[in-house]
Amino acid sequence: MMKSKPDEEDYWNSSKFKAFTFDDEDDEYSRLKESKQAVNSIRRLVEEDDDEDDVERVSWSGEPVGSISWSVRETAASNQRTDREPAFPKINTDTTAISKSQSGYSLSSLFKGKTRGGNFQSFTESPGDSSARLYAPELRKPRSEYKDYVSDWSPEETVLRMQQGKAVTLEKFRSLQDKLLLLDFAVSTHDGNVITAVMIYLRRTLSKDVLFRELESRQTALRHFIHYLTETRDQRLLLELLRALGRTEDMALLQYKEHLSITDENKRRDFLKSCLSLPFSPEDSAHVQDHYTLLERQIIIEATDRQAERGGKVEIFQKFPRRASILNMPLITTLYYCCFYHYAESEGTYSSPLNIRQTFRISEKQYFVTALAARAKLKAWSDLNALFTSRNWLGFTRKKSPLSFQRVVDILQKNSAPTHVLQEYVGLVDDADLRISLAQKHKCHDIVINMYRDLKDRQLLLGYRGKVERGSAEERKINDLLDNPQIRWKN
């Protein structure tokens, strides 16, 4: 039934709600007043009897307010609220008046600000009343505050914002020209994070052919991209990039590096054999060839020694059991192993130290140091004579060492060489002062006594007599020298 015009006017005049008009659309004060009036009207609609003990407080989901499930649901809902939704009315909570057990609110208290304790603040109709807190929903933020997210930034401005750590979107740069401008501006900042971020976007939105072509003329960006692919272990794309750029040596080294992920020694040997045909530089090619040859030899030595150790018939394996496998060990470790277990073998065998020295072009000094350390570890002092002995073209022999004899003495002393062995090599030190110092340090008494005798220094000899044991052969030797009338002492 249609209302008459007087009835309609009477309805609008008597209604609790104000009619919609276009005049005050932009008046924020009017909208705020309307919001408070609407909230107060809701308060009157939902306001119940002041005695709330008989009324069960419930939430929108129908569960009692203040329960654990209600708290979890309300917290999750508040975290998912977007900026476009009006904020939920704020409740004035006083921690001194409300305990943890009384943290629930009724539906009416959410709008009245009323707690279980009965304390509440009602809304006021006067916007100037500072004693009352406003609980109207928060107004939406002005559009100007969202400028950082919606403005149409240029490539240069976008890069600048990225450098400042501000939020940006790169999806709007769709043309190749804009993407390259973005990359060039990123490179000009000299900021590796910005360059890498732009490169990740270009990798996702450009074809490989276009990306590789453009990177070829941008070496700084190319280096960052190669480093990024290396760190993320994207071997496939990195190989394609190096191949497209014509960097065959880098591509070969990258493929060669894959041997590190192969655990089976036979498969690794076969892989290294396949790498011999890759386009390495001459120096790198020699290293790869040595690697393959060394692993092949290690496999043969390991199989033979494992069988000999299990058989129990080789004395050195019983006396000094192997602590680890020789497979995939470095070249010098392999040489040390062969000097330790296979020192006396003929040069024609794979495990002969001399064969290894010749095959892998090991220098004389490196071979000498390794062999000396291995034989000294075994206390094989007799082998040292052959190692140091050198014969000239006249047939005369003398002791020669590519190392200084001071260094030889240190190695022997660390391996607990006896005094008579140390004394032999201390006496070969050229410098007289250093020779006396080493002789005194390692208690090579004969060397010290003979040097003081040659110096005809009676006082030094008398002083040194107090450092040797009483009744020892060294003390008797000093006494005989001091009593010898044929020696003309200087003091």
Side-chain angles (χ1 to χ4, degrees):
M1 180 176 180
M2 300 295 293
K3 292 182 180 180
S4 62
K5 186 173 183 180
D7 293 338
E8 184 176 355
E9 292 178 353
D10 182 64
Y11 169 76
W12 285 111
N13 292 331
S14 62
S15 174
K16 300 177 181 179
F17 302 100
K18 186 177 180 180
F20 174 80
T21 62
F22 289 97
D23 298 335
D24 55 353
E25 180 181 2
D26 296 327
D27 188 355
E28 291 186 4
Y29 176 80
S30 300
R31 284 187 288 172
L32 179 61
K33 186 174 181 181
E34 290 174 7
S35 300
K36 289 188 294 182
Q37 290 175 352
V39 171
N40 286 326
S41 66
I42 295 176
R43 183 195 66 181
R44 290 192 294 271
L45 291 175
V46 300
E47 187 174 12
E48 299 292 341
D49 187 25
D50 290 337
D51 186 9
E52 294 181 350
D53 295 335
D54 297 332
V55 180
E56 183 182 15
R57 298 179 176 88
V58 296
S59 67
W60 296 113
S61 61
E63 297 177 355
V65 178
S67 64
I68 294 177
S69 60
W70 177 84
S71 301
V72 173
R73 290 171 182 262
E74 291 298 315
T75 302
S78 64
N79 291 337
Q80 296 175 356
R81 185 178 296 111
T82 62
D83 292 336
R84 295 186 177 183
E85 296 176 352
F88 203 74
K90 299 179 180 179
I91 307 300
N92 183 26
T93 57
D94 187 359
T95 55
T96 60
I98 303 177
S99 63
K100 292 183 179 180
S101 61
Q102 296 177 342
S103 60
Y105 295 93
S106 65
L107 180 61
S108 60
S109 67
L110 290 176
F111 294 96
K112 293 189 295 181
K114 185 175 181 179
T115 66
R116 285 195 177 191
N119 299 324
F120 65 91
Q121 291 178 328
S122 60
F123 294 106
T124 176
E125 296 292 339
S126 174
D129 188 359
S130 61
S131 63
R133 184 184 296 272
L134 300 180
Y135 289 91
E138 295 180 357
L139 298 175
R140 184 178 178 181
K141 296 179 180 180
R143 185 179 179 85
S144 60
E145 295 187 14
Y146 296 91
K147 180 179 179 181
D148 290 348
Y149 304 97
V150 299
S151 296
D152 188 16
W153 301 101
S154 66
E156 185 176 7
E157 292 171 330
T158 301
V159 169
L160 180 61
R161 290 177 59 79
M162 292 175 67
Q163 195 175 17
Q164 295 172 350
K166 296 182 180 180
V168 297
T169 176
L170 304 180
E171 301 296 334
K172 61 184 178 182
F173 299 107
R174 298 186 177 182
S175 67
L176 178 60
Q177 181 180 2
D178 287 344
K179 292 175 182 179
L180 295 180
L181 283 175
L182 194 66
L183 178 59
D184 291 337
F185 284 126
V187 171
S188 65
T189 64
H190 305 288
D191 190 325
N193 293 331
V194 176
I195 297 173
T196 303
V198 173
M199 287 306 311
I200 293 174
Y201 173 66
L202 297 186
R203 173 195 175 183
R204 184 165 52 86
T205 58
L206 292 178
S207 65
K208 290 184 290 187
D209 295 338
V210 174
L211 179 62
F212 296 165
R213 184 187 69 238
E214 298 299 335
L215 286 179
E216 189 173 5
S217 60
R218 296 170 172 83
Q219 292 299 313
T220 302
L222 177 61
R223 288 194 297 271
H224 279 273
F225 191 51
I226 290 177
H227 181 74
Y228 166 74
L229 295 178
T230 303
E231 291 294 320
T232 57
R233 298 182 180 180
D234 194 340
Q235 299 288 91
R236 182 186 59 80
L237 185 58
L238 185 55
L239 279 174
E240 293 181 7
L241 173 61
L242 296 176
R243 186 180 294 109
L245 297 176
R247 297 169 60 168
T248 57
E249 293 183 8
D250 293 340
M251 180 191 69
L253 289 173
L254 185 63
Q255 287 184 265
Y256 165 74
K257 191 177 179 181
E258 293 181 10
H259 79 272
L260 297 174
S261 61
I262 303 175
T263 56
D264 183 80
E265 60 271 10
N266 292 310
K267 292 182 179 179
R268 179 179 286 195
R269 177 197 58 195
D270 296 339
F271 176 79
L272 291 174
K273 186 176 181 179
S274 67
C275 289
L276 297 177
S277 60
L278 294 177
F280 291 104
S281 65
E283 183 180 0
D284 291 337
S285 180
H287 287 311
V288 176
Q289 178 66 56
D290 286 345
H291 190 179
Y292 165 71
T293 305
L294 178 62
L295 180 57
E296 185 179 36
R297 183 165 298 197
Q298 287 174 344
I299 293 174
I300 297 173
I301 296 174
E302 176 67 21
T304 304
D305 289 357
R306 187 188 298 118
Q307 185 177 1
E309 188 175 24
R310 291 176 179 175
K313 296 181 180 180
V314 181
E315 181 182 357
I316 191 170
F317 288 119
Q318 300 302 313
K319 191 175 181 180
F320 300 97
R322 300 188 313 151
R323 296 184 178 180
S325 170
I326 195 178
L327 295 174
N328 300 312
M329 290 296 178
L331 175 59
I332 298 303
T333 304
T334 305
L335 177 62
Y336 181 91
Y337 176 93
C338 292
C339 289
F340 195 95
Y341 289 107
H342 304 281
Y343 187 73
E345 289 187 5
S346 62
E347 192 173 347
T349 60
Y350 279 142
S351 54
S352 168
L354 295 176
N355 189 304
I356 292 178
R357 174 186 177 183
Q358 181 179 1
T359 302
F360 297 99
R361 304 169 300 280
I362 299 176
S363 67
E364 179 186 6
K365 185 175 182 179
Q366 185 65 71
Y367 175 80
F368 187 89
V369 172
T370 307
L372 175 63
R375 302 320 291 173
K377 186 71 174 179
L378 280 171
K379 307 294 188 292
W381 311 120
S382 59
D383 292 336
L384 299 182
N385 290 326
L387 188 63
F388 284 96
T389 301
S390 174
R391 189 181 299 273
N392 61 15
W393 62 279
L394 293 175
F396 295 103
T397 60
R398 67 185 183 93
K399 292 192 179 297
K400 181 182 178 182
S401 170
L403 287 178
S404 66
F405 280 102
Q406 178 186 0
R407 176 62 177 152
V408 172
V409 171
D410 290 340
I411 294 175
L412 295 177
Q413 189 272 333
K414 289 179 181 178
N415 287 278
S416 305
T419 302
H420 72 276
V421 175
L422 288 174
Q423 186 169 271
E424 182 177 1
Y425 295 97
V426 170
L428 296 174
V429 176
D430 294 331
D431 186 84
D433 294 335
L434 181 59
R435 186 163 65 248
I436 291 179
S437 176
L438 290 174
Q440 291 177 345
K441 177 181 178 181
H442 300 299
K443 296 182 179 181
C444 300
H445 302 303
D446 285 344
I447 294 178
V448 178
I449 295 171
N450 292 336
M451 290 188 67
Y452 289 161
R453 179 201 62 191
D454 296 338
L455 292 173
K456 294 180 173 54
D457 196 324
R458 183 184 179 87
Q459 296 301 323
L460 289 177
L461 200 57
L462 285 172
Y464 194 73
R465 185 172 60 175
K467 298 180 181 180
V468 299
E469 294 183 8
R470 290 281 186 123
S472 63
E474 289 79 10
E475 186 183 34
R476 291 194 298 270
K477 183 176 180 179
I478 293 175
N479 290 333
D480 292 341
L481 290 174
L482 293 174
D483 295 337
N484 190 345
Q486 297 181 356
I487 301 176
R488 296 184 178 182
W489 302 103
K490 293 189 303 182
N491 49 26

